[in-house]
Amino acid sequence: MYVYVPTTLKKPAPILVAIHHCQGSATGYASETKYQPLANSKGFIIIYPNSRSSGGCFDVASTASLSHNGGGDSQTIANMVKYAIDKYGGDAEKVFVTGTSSGAMMTQVMAGAYPDVFKAASAYSGVPDGCFYVQGSTATQDPPGWSNNCANGQVTKTAQAWGDLTRSYYPGYNGTRPRILLWHGTSDSTLRYQNHPEALKQWSNVLGLTDSKNTSNTPQSGYTQTIYGSGDANTAQLVGYSAQGVGHTVPVHESLDLAFFGI
């Protein structure tokens, strides 16, 4: 991992985990995104995990990773958070996660497998949580499991079935679930757009939300905002952004992420 600790920290300091895409790296994602200048002004810690696979993808397919304390990349990342809390004075009550593509998939896995660790998540151009799961896939495969059916938007489930999948990672957990922010482009040809409504179905079920409202050209022209339940874009439990004509991937909106996280 690559950890960025600004000179001036809040005490205790919020923690943001920012997860890179395939063919990416921790330091690469640090330079591609603009979270560090915001960390300087707002005093939060950033953890950039680095994939161990040769292709730079994260394990979002194995039973180990899709289980609370089951091993795999998800537990490794959860351990990074514990490290930052102990070593740098991170705030265990203000831990957030974001990522792009493979990192967006991992973001949702973290929200599903470690709801006791993360308070909110923002995923850019991913797939539903667990959509890449392959029975028999192991955390040691390189690259980690890939599902063409899921990538092509051909995996559909009921909201209940998607929700049950996420809940299966941590049986018996009855605590608060992370708030979720999802971004996807309608012209995505790598992880097809159909994954977006499927992911919204999933998290609406996990969070117990049914009503939603759409607002066009928000937060910018061509984007449609969907808010589930009560609250606004910064306080609602689930928010989606559909980006008309945008491919893979939706540009990172760092300031909106931090507003959603309450940093």
Side-chain angles (χ1 to χ4, degrees), residues 46-159:
I46 313 174
I47 299 170
Y48 299 94
N50 197 88
S51 171
R52 297 171 296 174
S53 79
S54 60
C57 301
F58 286 91
D59 168 22
V60 294
S62 74
T63 300
S65 205
L66 301 182
S67 302
H68 182 78
N69 290 340
D73 287 354
S74 66
Q75 187 168 0
T76 301
I77 293 171
N79 288 340
M80 293 175 185
V81 172
K82 294 177 184 177
Y83 176 85
I85 291 169
D86 294 340
K87 183 172 179 64
Y88 302 115
D91 189 346
E93 298 303 313
K94 294 183 179 178
V95 181
F96 311 97
V97 59
T98 187
T100 295
S101 193
S102 179
M105 299 184 209
M106 197 72 231
T107 290
Q108 293 180 74
V109 168
M110 298 311 301
Y114 294 89
D116 54 330
V117 174
F118 296 95
K119 301 303 178 184
S122 178
Y124 287 87
S125 306
V127 302
D129 184 21
C131 190
F132 267 40
Y133 171 68
V134 178
Q135 190 167 6
S137 177
T138 67
T140 58
Q141 286 179 306
D142 186 11
W146 178 270
S147 168
N148 283 327
N149 285 344
C150 179
N152 291 328
Q154 296 169 335
V155 178
T156 60
K157 299 179 186 290
T158 64

Side-chain angles (χ1 to χ4, degrees), residues 4 6-8 10 35-44 258 263:
Y4 184 76
T7 303
T8 303
K10 285 186 177 180
Y35 293 113
Q36 288 189 15
L38 292 164
N40 291 335
S41 61
K42 296 180 179 291
F44 62 90
L258 297 188
I263 297 178

